[in-house]
Amino acid sequence: MNAVLARLKEKLALDPLTVKQFKRFRSIKRGYYSAVVLGVMIALSFGAELLVNSRALVVSYQGELFFPTYGDIIPGRTFGLDYDYETDYRELDRLLEERGGAEGWVLMPPVPYDALENDLRAGVYPPYPPSVESGHYLGTDSTGRDVLARLIYGFRIAFAFSFLLLLCNYLIGIAVGCAMGFWGGLFDLIFQRVIEIWNMVPTLYVIMIVASIVVPTFWTLAAVMVLFGWTAMTWNMRTSTYKEKSREYVLAARALGASNPRMIGSHVIPNTISVIVTFIPFSIAGGITLLTALDYLGFGLPPPTPSWGELLSQGTSNLGSPWIVYSVVTAIGLVLVMVNYIGEAIREAFDPKKFTYYE
């Protein structure tokens, strides 16, 4: 039993070179802390309903507890209100407080507004300025929707979009690039010409054509961008594979009778991991800016989907309400700066000149 545990521990132990690279990454403070902050932001955004939502987290009414956030719609009559549609939990909170809390209480999220909710006031036209009393901490946009709510939900959509592009582009690009570099010859030549022709297609025009035919959705945009975005990683993997396949360990594996899939999976790809990892942060930044640009131009996600690009467009159209453009520009700037710091730190940590097995 002890021998089995020892072998398992040995298999799970990180490679000494990987440990050195991680220590080097941690030593680059701005990249490491940017990764921590960005990781926290991503985690919080995927639980955004607990922080930014017009639905209550918990409602205690006449001794019974309700959890509306991730539950079904609860009509107003359940809490003694005179309507059958979904409860206005902010109104319910005020009513219960006015009654002294004897019937129950309501626990609202820190930002008690949804990203799609229009909070309009009698006699005053939006956008409304930031106010702690109203709960609009960054103000509202031109239709009365909370800016902070749309920033948070827009960040979640933008990150999910960029991560999906990253995953699909890398899977296709790594597979095709490795095949081109490993087999070379006619196969490589044909795919080079195909990629060169494919890269000449203007992607923006394709998106404009698609948007004129159907209403673009998250999946439609992702499919179009993957269709034309996989070629960048292909060139990098082709070059790296050409270099790695001539190494002594690959030639030795070939001489010992290793199959092509084994040589690629066990020798080529693991030794090109530094190239793959280095481009990840910059690919994520590219995906975020791409979706933001498409939404700003009007060819992205349809309204009223929370979007940084749509919010930026509103901000530039309402310069008299500077909180809109300041908020979204600050958010975009901070995220892109953090991603670039992470990318620089990863590139520095995985620099082969810093660490070798022959130190």
Side-chain angles (χ1 to χ4, degrees), residues 324-357:
I324 301 177
V325 69
Y326 287 167
S327 299
V328 66
V329 167
T330 301
I332 294 173
L334 286 176
V335 169
L336 294 183
V337 166
M338 285 190 292
V339 169
N340 279 305
Y341 282 165
I342 295 169
E344 290 175 359
I346 290 176
R347 183 173 57 193
E348 183 75 12
F350 279 83
D351 186 354
K353 297 178 181 178
K354 292 286 182 182
F355 305 108
T356 71
Y357 285 109

Side-chain angles (χ1 to χ4, degrees), residues 70-90:
Y70 290 108
D72 297 327
I73 293 176
I74 304 176
R77 293 193 182 276
T78 305
F79 304 112
L81 305 175
D82 58 348
Y83 53 82
D84 292 320
Y85 50 86
E86 185 173 11
T87 305
D88 184 341
Y89 293 100
R90 294 192 302 274

Side-chain angles (χ1 to χ4, degrees), residues 8-47:
L8 181 61
K9 184 178 180 180
E10 183 180 349
K11 288 183 178 180
L12 294 176
L14 292 176
D15 186 90
L17 181 61
T18 304
V19 174
K20 286 184 179 181
Q21 290 167 339
F22 182 71
K23 287 182 178 179
R24 174 64 179 166
F25 177 77
R26 290 195 61 177
S27 69
I28 306 171
K29 298 301 182 184
R30 67 181 186 181
Y32 175 71
Y33 288 118
S34 295
V36 172
V37 172
L38 189 61
V40 171
M41 289 174 59
I42 293 169
L44 291 177
S45 71
F46 282 91

